[in-house]
Amino acid sequence: MTLRTIVEFPHPLLKQRCEEVVDFDAELATLLNDMRETMVEAEGLGLAANQVAVGLRVFTMVVPGDGEDEVDETSEIVELCNPRIVGRRGEIRFEEGCLSFPGINEAVLRSAEVDAVFQDRDGIEHRRSFTDVAAVCIQHELDHLDGVTFLDRLSPLKRRLAQRSFKRMQDARRFDDIEDQRAAVRSAR
Ligand code: ZN
């Protein structure tokens, strides 16, 4: 398994609709293995393929187990290929984060319970209901596959503010990286 690089906003793939999976082959299995490892390593609850620069309609997500909202040894990692939401019930407002927007958290209104139809890595179709955090996660990840990010679910004003503060954080990180590189060059002399 290989850790893949997670792309950050405003990478163009995050704004594009991903393509349906047609070949359920070894290449897809490798992608899913890598995505699982990358998601766990980054401590994310979900990871869409376009977040690792692959334009396919697949994502991995963590479904909390007995620990309810806590991610622990009872949690399960689920892989969803060509997912669709076929039923929705209730509403939930949840503070979401995103591996492509590190440092940003925003409350988004979603359905509290969803019924999803998807294929596994062998192409076998499944139907399953998800609630609470898992329901939020599935809607967040499915949005990614349609080129929509969680900030697109905010009001225009909130979105602008969040994008601006994210850009400031990105710039600060870049500045720190440059300073680190300069310090490394100085100490190498
Ligand atoms: Zn995300």
Side-chain angles (χ1 to χ4, degrees), residues 123-139:
I124 296 163
E125 194 167 280
H126 300 265
R127 189 193 168 104
R128 185 168 162 180
S129 298
F130 297 88
T131 56
D132 301 316
V133 180
V136 168
C137 194
I138 207 167
Q139 292 166 85

Side-chain angles (χ1 to χ4, degrees), residues 52-126:
V52 292
V54 176
L56 280 178
R57 296 187 74 77
V58 302
F59 62 80
T60 55
M61 63 181 275
V62 177
V63 178
D66 302 341
E68 291 175 4
D69 289 358
E70 295 289 316
V71 175
D72 56 23
E73 61 280 358
T74 67
S75 303
E76 174 197 4
I77 296 179
V78 183
E79 305 164 353
L80 297 93
C81 304
N82 301 330
R84 285 178 295 128
I85 291 177
V86 294
R88 297 171 177 272
R89 288 170 296 282
E91 282 188 337
I92 184 172
R93 189 176 288 279
F94 189 81
E95 190 91 2
E96 297 182 23
C98 180
L99 294 174
S100 295
F101 289 86
I104 295 287
N105 291 93
E106 291 289 340
V108 180
L109 189 66
R110 307 273 192 188
S111 301
E113 208 178 323
V114 297
D115 304 320
V117 174
F118 57 95
Q119 286 165 284
D120 62 24
R121 59 168 69 193
D122 299 315
I124 296 163
E125 194 167 280
H126 300 265

Side-chain angles (χ1 to χ4, degrees), residues 177-189:
D177 287 349
I178 292 165
E179 287 296 291
D180 287 349
Q181 281 162 16
R182 283 195 185 134
V185 168
R186 275 199 296 274
S187 64
R189 274 184 190 146

